Amino acid sequence: MAKDTGDKNGEGTTYINFAGVYAHLRDFKKAMENYQLAISIANETGNKDAEQRGYDNLACVLWFLGDYFKAEQCFKSCIELVEEMTVLLQGNDEWKIAFRNERDCVSRLVRLQLQQRTERKTLEALLTAERGRAEALVDLLESQYGVRKSICSLSKQQTELIISKHISSPTLFLMNDTKSVNIWMLLKGGKQCGFVQQGVSNDLTSMTYQTYKQIGVNKSLWKKILSRKEIEDQGGALKVLYDMIIAPFSHSIEGDELVIVPDGSSFLIPYAALVDQNSRYLSETLRIRLVPSLTTLRLLAECPEGRHSTSGALLVGNPWVETVRIKGCRPFPQLPGTEEEVKMVGQSLNIAPLTGKNATKDRVLSGLNSVSLVHIAAHGRTETGEIILSPNFPAAKRPKEKDFLLTMADVLDAKVHAKLVVLSYANSGRGKIKVEGVVGIARAFLGAGARSVIATLWEIDDEATLAFMRHFYDHLLAGQSASKSLHHAMKRIRESEKFNAVKHWAPFVLIGDDVTLNFGQ
């Protein structure tokens, strides 16, 4: 009928359906013939969506039959078509994330390359994984910095050169799979030091939430997630994750910094608190920094000089939220401790913070694009970390969300020029887990142009936060880098009598570049 009516798209769809039935019947020859017919028609009509699906399915059949070379070529065609279609979405970050999340043929190609178990294919798998890592964020950063050299359009040799050029510290690149975690270690200059594929009996998300249970935080989250048998080994999940991710390469880590490129739920692992065989925390010996992708390192290193502000600070604490309501949430209490926190930072910088009814959404947005430091201490939305500010119209009995909720879209539109954004409130490092990584407010600030972001994985009490931030800013304003300042603050709190529990010093993570601020110089 499709042929008789000249319905080419209908004809192509029918071939796809035929192929699926033949594959189910294990008649793989006819399955491949029908996939190839569907691909040919889609190419003829310019239907990239159908062509991509055809290549994806054909690759899986070829892989099953052991024809790895042809399967790789099909997967690569599939990836190129996804990238071509993504360009059509232009600047819509949310659509790009959703589309790439649905069409994840990158992870299948990585599995195929790793299955071949050669050194060359292991390196190719790393380059493939990097090609698909945080692509929407890379698009945002390229547009912010005026750079148009996406790694997706480069050759393998060019990609290797770019990766090697901007790796200055030992770097662990993680990629989650259904029953395993793939980990590459890269040393300075991009030298591939090693690769391991670690099997997991429990999925990584469950293991991460077991660390939260062990630490004694985020109870409402881990109670929903943990349904399987928990890790009972001595040292618990913090030691198991150390043994899985860090231990295979511990002998190769030189210097005092470790960069980690996480994947999916591994963004939420409290790396600072992972425990080695000698019961030492990882952060006792190493400064830890997360980056969404290796390409992010390149974009940050090559961004135009003068892109980021060198002076000024936007300090926001204890917004007035008495009339603020969000569906499904309890009323929000005032946070006097956060006001004390930003006033402490303000005194050091001689800058008046925005607090109470002055901390409106409009005033915060107007200040984001002109300062070197942004520090926000407020309530955050549990699911995404989006920030609850004072309403633009405080006299309103029931303010609308758009008048007080600082969303990811708001941040992305703001064109942030800060070197450092500190999100000092509960769950600011959380968000939805996508192929893109953790999609939350911290990512939005990076995508909007911030060079680095400090976020938190869970809530800590006001007094502990104040003590932590006092130590952090003592070092930061003395000219030390963000990672060194964070490292020293963790050390001081860990060694204190009152706040030495893991829950007080381990939730803070540095994402992006390791910046230094030069106030007053």
Side-chain angles (χ1 to χ4, degrees), residues 19-69:
V21 174
Y22 282 126
H24 185 73
L25 295 172
R26 304 181 73 80
D27 188 339
F28 297 114
K29 182 180 178 181
K30 286 188 177 179
M32 288 191 291
E33 288 174 357
N34 279 274
Y35 280 134
Q36 286 163 342
L37 284 168
I39 290 168
S40 177
I41 289 173
N43 183 264
E44 178 187 339
T45 61
N47 188 337
K48 295 183 185 297
D49 178 70
E51 188 178 1
Q52 183 264 323
R53 291 183 187 276
Y55 274 121
D56 199 7
N57 285 297
L58 179 58
C60 290
V61 173
L62 290 164
W63 183 3
F64 180 81
L65 294 175
D67 194 338
Y68 294 162
F69 177 79

Side-chain angles (χ1 to χ4, degrees), residues 289-300:
R289 179 161 54 100
L290 307 185
V291 294
S293 68
L294 298 173
T295 312
T296 305
L297 291 174
R298 188 260 298 181
L299 290 170
L300 291 172

